[in-house]
Amino acid sequence: MLDQTETNLPSLLDDPSLLQTKAYVNGEWITGADGEFEVTNPARGDVIARVANLSRAQVAGAIDGAYLAQKAWAAKTAKERSQILRKWFDLIMANQKDLGTILTAEMGKPLTEAMGEIAYGASFIEFYAEEAKRIYGETIPGHAPDKRIMVMKQPIGVAASITPWNFPNAMITRKCAPALAAGCSFVGRPASETPLSALAICVLAERAGIPAGVLNMVPSASSSEVGKEFCSNPKVRKLTFTGSTGVGRILLAQAADQVMKCSMELGGNAPFIVFDDADLDAAVQGAIMCKFRNNGQTCVCANRIYVQAGVYDEFAAKLKEAVSKMKVGDGLEEGTDLGPLITSKAIRKVQEHLADAKEKGAEIILGGAEQLQGPGNFLRPTIVTGATREMQFATDETFGPLAPLFKFEDVDEVIELANDTIFGLASYFYAKDLSRVYKVAEALEYGIVGVNTGIISTEVAPFGGVKQSGLGREGSHHGIEDYLEMKYVCLSV
Ligand SMILES: NC(=O)c1ccc[n+]([C@@H]2O[C@H](COP(=O)([O-])OP(=O)(O)OC[C@H]3O[C@@H](n4cnc5c(N)ncnc54)[C@H](O)[C@@H]3O)[C@@H](O)[C@H]2O)c1
Ligand SMILES: O=C[C@H](O)CS(=O)(=O)O
């Protein structure tokens, strides 16, 4: 039974000053013109903070300040920007446990996962602190005897960011790190469910010496008003969004008026394929990591698990055995494997997908979608067999602890099934035959393919989707390009 006491978050922190509830704008901590909004702990349902609710006018003010601050920030040498970003990385890692505790309290993921996210998010700052010094231009042989051609790369200007609740630290640093490294300034609007993690890293950014106005965080209860300001304000030259494909479409349409450069990290529906020559034990562990990380609330979670007929029953039995040992509970409690879902709405979506599957013939071999007793948004992990393409989870992202097992006969059939979606973010398969590995990796229509692994997250690789899973890439040396403009200089000599 969960502890019924309320979450006393400041008492859990070594440095309670990291728990900020004001907005960070132009180097000042400000209150919201529209009052405050509540942040709740999804494991206990209690209010853990009341955060500044900024008005659209205040967001416009943050953009004005970012516009003014950007020029001086870009005028610093790459090494100066690099050193400040490195200091920020060091401060984040020195406060990893407190930042993880804040993240677990507002989002629910187990503390071990939250601390892992803090390290993952910080890795982007570490990586782009170095990339700042490697933004190279080029010279091109002239097209006439008196012509010399030079190509230079310059920061695009003010970058505006909107991010989701499921990775409240890393989805922001994956954007602001390359932006600041490139010499841009940044105005971020975190998800209203999880603003505390975003504000906490601003406390550390200030301590690291990031100048006023370069990094701004504008929490608000209303997301659409902030989005409209970001998309219509001519001082914003870059919009970077992570979230659902539906909201991505809205923002792309809104940004069209300004012909704004957009990065979109959107929804997914990842296939996880187990061939009959796979290492089944490795595939089971990979499926657990891929499906149940963050309790299934990641854009790259396995949404459909395809198992070749010859190993289907053995895989299902092994997976059921392993998942049955997973502990559901409060993320702040030792030994928790699966925390709460973010909201009751998220629970209902999982329940709808399960009910639809049962109605169409699926069989539950583990769990079920009844909510656990207690104040939190807790569901048991569930596995179903007999999944078919007619079921809702074959086309829609479940975003929860529901693992549907589909059976397939041959490689051509499973490639067609895997690619039959509007999404194209992550995909995974387990196989040993080298020819099969090459052909399947080439045939999958996804931005990311995990081969014999269920975890692909790293700052050194280009993360992003094709089709309606997004535009652009985050991470790797590619990730900084979206914050740069290329200028061609033609010199007559
Ligand atoms: N591709 C990726 O890297 C990635 C990473 C994490 C999550 N996601 C996707 O995000 C979704 C889950 O997150 P979510 O539920 O927060 O998504 P969401 O799209 O509902 O919300 C994302 C963010 O956009 C804001 N928002 C919502 N409507 C808006 C509007 N009209 N204008 C401006 N902002 C608006 C929200 O408040 C939130 O901050 C899933 O589809 C998941 O796949 C993708
Ligand atoms: O939910 C989406 C995240 O991008 C997942 S990952 O941690 O970056 O793989």
Side-chain angles (χ1 to χ4, degrees):
M1 196 60 186
L2 288 170
D3 177 356
Q4 297 293 336
T5 56
E6 299 223 326
T7 316
N8 182 347
L9 189 47
S11 71
L12 301 176
L13 304 178
D14 296 330
D15 180 359
S17 72
L18 290 172
L19 187 56
Q20 254 300 345
T21 58
K22 291 182 179 177
Y24 185 58
V25 173
N26 296 326
E28 302 291 330
W29 295 97
I30 66 170
T31 56
D34 290 352
E36 297 175 329
F37 62 90
E38 292 180 344
V39 181
T40 59
N41 176 346
R44 304 185 187 186
D46 61 320
V47 175
I48 58 175
R50 288 176 177 79
V51 170
N53 184 12
L54 264 58
S55 65
R56 180 168 176 172
Q58 286 181 299
V59 173
I63 293 167
D64 289 344
Y67 183 78
L68 293 173
Q70 188 266 328
K71 301 291 184 224
W73 177 245
K76 286 183 180 294
T77 65
K79 188 164 185 177
E80 287 170 326
R81 288 197 296 276
S82 174
Q83 288 171 330
I84 292 170
L85 288 173
R86 176 69 207 200
K87 175 69 176 168
W88 192 23
F89 165 77
D90 291 338
L91 287 169
I92 287 174
M93 292 309 294
N95 291 276
Q96 185 183 10
K97 188 165 185 304
D98 275 357
L99 295 173
T101 300
I102 291 169
L103 197 155
T104 293
E106 64 177 352
M107 190 261 137
K109 68 177 68 174
L111 183 56
T112 50
E113 277 196 48
M115 289 181 66
E117 180 185 340
I118 299 302
Y120 174 54
S123 72
F124 291 97
I125 298 171
E126 180 190 39
F127 183 86
Y128 286 107
E130 282 308 307
E131 285 301 293
K133 297 181 282 187
R134 295 174 180 81
I135 299 173
Y136 302 134
E138 61 184 340
T139 59
I140 298 172
H143 50 293
D146 67 336
K147 293 293 184 292
R148 302 293 183 268
I149 295 174
M150 184 169 64
V151 177
M152 59 173 72
K153 291 189 179 173
Q154 296 175 308
I156 195 167
V158 175
S161 158
I162 299 172
T163 45
W165 49 263
N166 64 335
F167 285 80
N169 172 286
M171 295 303 96
I172 295 174
T173 59
R174 198 162 79 177
K175 297 173 185 302
C176 68
L180 269 56
C184 295
S185 54
F186 188 90
V187 183
R189 190 272 177 181
S192 51
E193 297 88 344
T194 56
L196 301 176
S197 296
L199 296 170
I201 57 173
C202 289
V203 172
L204 297 175
E206 195 175 31
R207 292 179 191 168
I210 293 178
V214 171
L215 176 69
N216 304 274
M217 211 56 69
V218 292
S220 73
S222 160
S223 53
S224 57
E225 282 306 296
V226 175
K228 287 171 185 168
E229 184 59 34
F230 282 174
C231 293
S232 63
N233 191 313
K235 290 176 181 164
V236 174
R237 290 312 307 148
K238 167 76 181 180
L239 176 70
T240 176
F241 171 70
T242 295
S244 65
T245 294
V247 174
R249 292 190 191 107
I250 293 170
L251 292 170
L252 281 171
Q254 290 177 178
D257 289 348
Q258 296 289 333
V259 191
M260 192 175 294
K261 192 167 188 174
C262 291
S263 293
M264 291 282 148
E265 291 287 355
L266 304 178
N269 186 326
F272 184 103
I273 305 168
V274 182
F275 286 99
D276 54 15
D277 66 331
D279 174 336
L280 279 195
D281 291 328
V284 166
Q285 287 312 309
I288 287 174
M289 296 289 286
C290 189
K291 174 70 250 186
F292 294 104
R293 179 163 72 105
N294 202 14
N295 210 357
Q297 301 173 113
T298 92
C299 57
V300 292
C301 277
N303 208 65
R304 300 167 282 157
I305 301 177
Y306 296 98
V307 185
Q308 198 156 16
V311 295
Y312 186 89
D313 294 341
E314 186 182 0
F315 178 87
K318 284 177 176 284
L319 184 67
K320 175 183 175 180
E321 169 65 22
V323 174
S324 66
K325 295 171 183 166
M326 298 183 85
K327 179 175 178 288
V328 178
D330 188 323
L332 291 172
E333 288 175 353
E334 190 79 25
T336 294
D337 297 308
L338 301 171
L341 294 183
I342 188 70
T343 58
S344 52
K345 180 184 172 189
I347 286 196
R348 287 195 299 276
K349 185 174 188 183
V350 176
Q351 292 172 331
E352 284 163 11
H353 280 194
L354 184 55
D356 168 76
K358 282 169 64 179
E359 190 183 308
K360 294 173 183 172
E363 181 193 349
I364 297 175
I365 63 168
L366 182 72
E370 70 284 350
Q371 188 170 349
L372 299 187
Q373 291 306 310
N377 305 322
F378 292 104
L379 278 180
R380 296 183 199 292
T382 298
I383 302 172
V384 301
T385 54
T388 67
R389 67 192 318 166
E390 287 73 31
M391 297 171 187
Q392 248 182 302
F393 44 48
T395 49
D396 297 343
E397 198 176 27
T398 303
F399 233 59
L402 172 56
L405 305 187
F406 298 72
K407 187 183 291 186
F408 73 92
E409 298 297 334
D410 60 51
V411 64
D412 292 337
E413 176 195 3
V414 76
I415 292 296
E416 190 275 327
L417 287 167
N419 287 337
D420 181 23
T421 169
I422 64 169
F423 296 107
L425 185 57
S427 58
Y428 310 84
F429 68 93
Y430 277 71
K432 290 177 183 167
D433 178 86
L434 187 59
S435 169
R436 172 180 281 175
V437 165
Y438 249 96
K439 287 174 182 171
V440 173
E442 289 168 343
L444 287 170
E445 297 167 356
Y446 291 84
I448 304 167
V449 181
V451 181
N452 294 326
T453 180
I455 296 290
I456 42 78
S457 318
T458 171
E459 77 282 8
V460 301
F463 184 105
V466 299
K467 296 162 73 175
Q468 297 195 34
S469 283
L471 299 168
R473 292 296 184 271
E474 295 186 333
S476 82
H477 65 279
H478 297 284
I480 204 164
E481 294 300 326
D482 275 352
Y483 296 94
L484 295 167
E485 289 288 14
M486 186 184 292
K487 181 180 284 177
Y488 151 43
V489 180
C490 183
L491 297 162
S492 282
V493 295

